[in-house]
Amino acid sequence: MKNILLILLLSLSIAELSAQTIKIPDFPDTGEELNKYPSVEWLKGNPVSDFDPGKTYIVELWATWCVPCIAAMPHIAELNKKFKDKGIIFIAQNVMDYDRQKVVNFVKSKAELADLNVGFAGMQGNDFEQGWVKGAGVNGIPQTFIIQGNRLMWQTTPYALNEKVLQLLVDHQFSIDAAKSLNMKTE
């Protein structure tokens, strides 16, 4: 009798859960259009609200507690120096940090962030988290989004970016296969 009651309770719980729909925002697949940048607080640099179709955007997700994110910052800063005058806009987008002052202090202490546009997503459940982090299925950082011509070109990691990959973007010759091929040749 206990087993029957347990099965009935589990069946009801599963039915109740399946009746509730969990809405995760849609995030574009590679090649789909992106027009608006989510609402964030800009701590440094030039705010981005709409993507300019003539520009390329490298959006780097990071957090103050993320050791691999911090390790990638000098690499991203160096690429920014070399490519910022070639139509590529680098955005260091803080995510998964909810203490604004901690993030502000961190940004002030990191020379690598001096020339980058730095966004703070804000409190849990913020626009960036809902639309991009959850929508894109990001479950770990660092994470990099490449947007060119208002299209999501690639969702990858900062370690997949190098000068040759960025030159493909500048030359409008980028493809994921070409980028992966270049990364295999440099390893």
Side-chain angles (χ1 to χ4, degrees):
M1 185 67 162
K2 286 182 184 178
N3 288 341
I4 293 172
L5 286 174
L6 182 59
I7 290 171
L8 283 172
L9 286 173
L10 284 174
S11 298
L12 286 174
S13 296
I14 292 170
E16 287 174 13
L17 285 174
S18 63
Q20 298 175 355
T21 57
I22 300 172
K23 176 69 174 136
I24 296 178
D26 290 328
F27 191 76
D29 289 326
T30 302
E32 287 189 46
E33 193 167 343
L34 278 171
N35 292 310
K36 298 254 181 229
Y37 198 80
S39 178
V40 300
E41 178 184 352
W42 293 96
L43 302 178
K44 292 184 66 44
N46 298 314
V48 174
S49 58
D50 298 313
F51 290 113
D52 177 341
K55 303 280 185 191
T56 300
Y57 298 84
I58 307 294
V59 181
E60 183 61 38
L61 308 188
W62 66 276
T64 59
W65 48 264
C66 174
V67 174
C69 300
I70 296 165
M73 285 179 180
H75 171 66
I76 294 299
E78 187 63 32
L79 291 174
N80 177 54
K81 284 181 189 172
K82 291 180 180 178
F83 286 88
K84 68 180 178 182
D85 294 330
K86 296 182 180 185
I88 298 181
I89 297 169
F90 287 80
I91 299 171
Q93 179 60 60
N94 176 266
V95 296
M96 301 176 196
D97 269 319
Y98 307 114
D99 181 342
R100 181 187 180 282
Q101 194 56 53
K102 180 179 179 183
V103 174
V104 167
N105 292 342
F106 182 88
V107 169
K108 286 179 183 176
S109 74
K110 289 292 176 192
E112 295 90 349
L113 297 173
D115 292 332
L116 296 174
N117 300 304
V118 180
F120 172 65
M123 298 306 292
Q124 194 165 8
N126 62 67
D127 192 34
F128 197 92
E129 181 179 284
Q130 293 301 311
W132 282 45
V133 174
K134 288 183 179 178
V138 173
N139 56 17
I141 51 176
Q143 186 83 199
T144 306
F145 295 96
I146 299 174
I147 295 102
Q148 185 175 55
N150 287 44
R151 304 240 177 249
L152 176 63
M153 301 301 284
W154 198 15
Q155 181 178 339
T156 187
T157 70
Y159 307 109
L161 299 181
N162 60 43
E163 290 181 40
K164 291 179 181 177
V165 169
L166 293 183
Q167 192 61 49
L168 287 173
L169 290 160
V170 169
D171 295 339
H172 296 281
Q173 299 295 315
F174 180 86
S175 73
I176 294 172
D177 289 339
K180 286 180 178 178
S181 173
L182 288 173
N183 280 311
M184 284 184 213
K185 292 177 185 175
T186 60
E187 292 176 348

